[in-house]
Amino acid sequence: MVVRSYEDECQFLEKLGPHTWKIKSGFQPNMKVDGVFYVNEQLEKLMFEELRNACRPGMVGGFLPGVKQIANVAALPGIVGRSVGLPDIHSGYGFAIGNMAAFDMGNPEAVVSPGGVGFDINCGVRLIRTNLTERDVQPVKEQLTQSIFDHIPVGVGSKGIIPMNAKDLEEALEMGMDWSLREGYVWPEDKEHCEEYGRMLNADPNCVSTRAKKRGLPQLGTLGAGNHYAEIQVVDEIFDPFAAGQMGIDQKGQVVVMIHCGSRGFGHQVATDALVAMEKAMKRDKIEVNDRQLACARIQSEEGQNYLKGMACAANFAWVNRSSMTFLTRQAFAKMFKSDPDDLDMHVIYDVSHNIAKVEQHLVEGKPKTLLVHRKGSTRAFPPHHPLIPVDYQEAPESYKNVTDVVDTCHAVGISKKCIKLRPIGVIKG
């Protein structure tokens, strides 16, 4: 391991613009491409302070700052373009959280790494609009929050109330939101505003361990713990009235509900099982990485394909999970306001993942390539008219994060576009 001073480390970092920094090859061993990260002035200070702390005596072998994790990802076989760090990047397992990278499916050396997806596979965010205003909700805010809490099981050991047996689980893992639609837990149009229409088609329950299924079976329709939440929010600002209008947001003070959760213990077990298999595959195929947390396998290997099929099952589980909680949230609102959810206009605005790996077509150096894109703690942000954006949003590019520094930076560098700002007024957590 090469130990360098903070000043020496900084020689590998080059500021390309007001919000853009390049991590040059050589910052970490065997880098195949450069790294890049996007920050504003305040976030820049945090990034460099983290690096400075990591360079202090006694910190060798300790935590890896975000810039080093970006660089380690840039050393993985088959990576193309750059290893990208988004404004809210922070240390994670293998990949930093907020790190994304793409791997060339046409390169037999290219790898897939569970550390580039995370243990909570398809952890994501769903936003549901209503036609209620803050004035409608404020008098019953506590009762409404309690009603949501009563409907949605929360906490580490929580168990779901959606009826499900082993056969149902197998079908849900394969079908995703199509299972929820068949069982009457979603509206048909919910799928239109969900990434992948709520179903990854390469899911194969046979690639999932019995232990993972056992962990997942009782947890469907549960929020879990940690940073997961179901939150009643109010539209505080509208930056782009046209885009907001396309999403059904037409006024300040409008009430929406945000649900943030993932695949619970099921996804965690899928990731754990894959890491064990991939450590063996790395020895067999002589794959070397800078950080053992970046355990990986060739995309086309048995281990790589098994992981992708199992990961797709976990992604489908997460979409069914969020759909089940949408059903329960609609029930809670309907009970409180003595009205049908449809009369309350409780339509899904979007459902997007921030922990997933997907096969996508992109231009690399002007040439179309089929890539396996890892997004960990980061979402897709496709341009207008992209075929994977819902039809009614293709004049309305999406923006999903609401931390001011992060959003302002993403807006400034053109990653995404500010649309609305939401303010929480009630939240349930595990």
Side-chain angles (χ1 to χ4, degrees), residues 123-356:
C123 185
V125 173
R126 173 174 291 204
L127 189 65
I128 306 160
R129 71 178 185 240
T130 77
N131 56 17
L132 299 167
T133 66
E134 185 172 15
R135 181 177 297 179
D136 298 320
V137 170
Q138 195 64 39
V140 294
K141 180 177 68 176
E142 286 78 13
Q143 298 97 307
L144 180 59
T145 305
Q146 183 63 50
S147 181
I148 297 174
F149 184 83
D150 292 340
H151 279 76
I152 299 178
V154 302
V156 175
S158 56
K159 294 185 177 181
I161 60 173
I162 301 295
M164 174 167 278
N165 56 34
K167 181 175 181 292
D168 291 322
L169 179 62
E170 294 275 336
E171 292 175 347
L173 297 181
E174 184 175 348
M175 298 172 63
M177 279 180 66
D178 286 332
W179 180 87
S180 301
L181 180 61
R182 188 190 74 186
E183 298 298 315
Y185 294 118
V186 302
W187 300 345
E189 56 267 35
D190 288 352
K191 289 179 54 183
E192 298 298 317
H193 293 158
C194 184
E195 185 171 353
E196 298 292 313
Y197 298 100
R199 179 180 184 180
M200 292 190 79
L201 298 176
N202 63 320
D204 184 353
N206 294 319
C207 294
V208 175
S209 70
T210 301
R211 178 168 174 77
K213 293 172 183 176
K214 186 176 180 180
R215 290 184 67 179
L217 183 58
Q219 293 185 333
L220 196 67
T222 66
L223 193 62
N227 64 344
H228 296 160
Y229 58 80
E231 193 165 82
I232 306 167
Q233 301 176 338
V234 170
V235 176
D236 209 33
E237 293 183 57
I238 297 178
F239 302 106
D240 187 332
F242 176 77
Q246 292 295 104
M247 299 178 188
I249 302 296
D250 54 16
Q251 61 177 315
K252 291 175 64 174
Q254 187 171 342
V255 171
V256 298
V257 180
M258 182 175 285
I259 297 173
H260 172 211
C261 68
S263 50
R264 306 286 278 110
F266 180 86
H268 195 286
Q269 191 63 48
V270 168
T272 300
D273 293 341
L275 287 169
V276 173
M278 287 185 180
E279 286 186 359
K280 297 176 182 177
M282 288 175 68
K283 293 178 182 177
R284 181 194 67 212
D285 295 337
K286 297 181 174 57
I287 301 173
E288 294 185 3
V289 294
N290 291 343
D291 179 358
R292 67 183 303 270
Q293 292 184 357
L294 289 172
C296 56
R298 307 286 187 214
I299 295 174
Q300 302 303 340
S301 70
E302 181 180 358
E303 293 82 3
Q305 287 297 302
N306 284 348
Y307 170 69
L308 289 173
K309 293 172 184 176
M311 184 211 70
C313 287
N316 288 345
F317 182 98
W319 280 314
V320 173
N321 196 31
R322 288 196 287 276
S323 296
S324 300
M325 282 183 278
T326 300
F327 172 78
L328 297 170
T329 299
R330 285 168 172 161
Q331 284 193 325
F333 269 75
K335 183 177 179 181
M336 177 58 61
F337 293 99
K338 297 180 173 59
S339 184
D340 188 89
D342 193 46
D343 293 334
L344 296 174
D345 193 33
M346 296 191 71
H347 290 266
V348 173
I349 294 179
Y350 64 73
D351 183 302
V352 68
S353 170
H354 49 244
N355 277 2
I356 205 161

Side-chain angles (χ1 to χ4, degrees), residues 45-121:
K45 292 177 183 176
L46 295 175
M47 288 288 282
F48 279 88
E49 185 60 29
E50 184 183 57
L51 179 61
R52 187 191 303 274
N53 289 337
C55 291
R56 286 176 177 166
M59 291 303 295
V60 175
F63 79 99
L64 282 177
V67 288
K68 288 202 172 186
Q69 290 196 297
I70 296 170
N72 282 339
V73 169
L76 289 174
I79 189 170
V80 298
R82 296 177 292 187
S83 174
V84 178
L86 296 171
D88 55 349
I89 195 163
H90 50 287
S91 294
Y93 183 94
F95 280 53
I97 299 167
N99 192 180
M100 63 164 292
F103 297 82
D104 184 358
M105 294 284 289
N107 182 347
E109 301 296 307
V111 298
V112 56
S113 174
V117 172
F119 284 93
D120 193 1
I121 296 168

Side-chain angles (χ1 to χ4, degrees), residues 18-33:
H19 302 93
T20 308
W21 282 85
K22 175 182 177 181
I23 306 171
K24 301 176 187 177
S25 295
F27 184 71
Q28 290 288 81
N30 304 315
M31 288 176 65
K32 314 289 191 297
V33 297

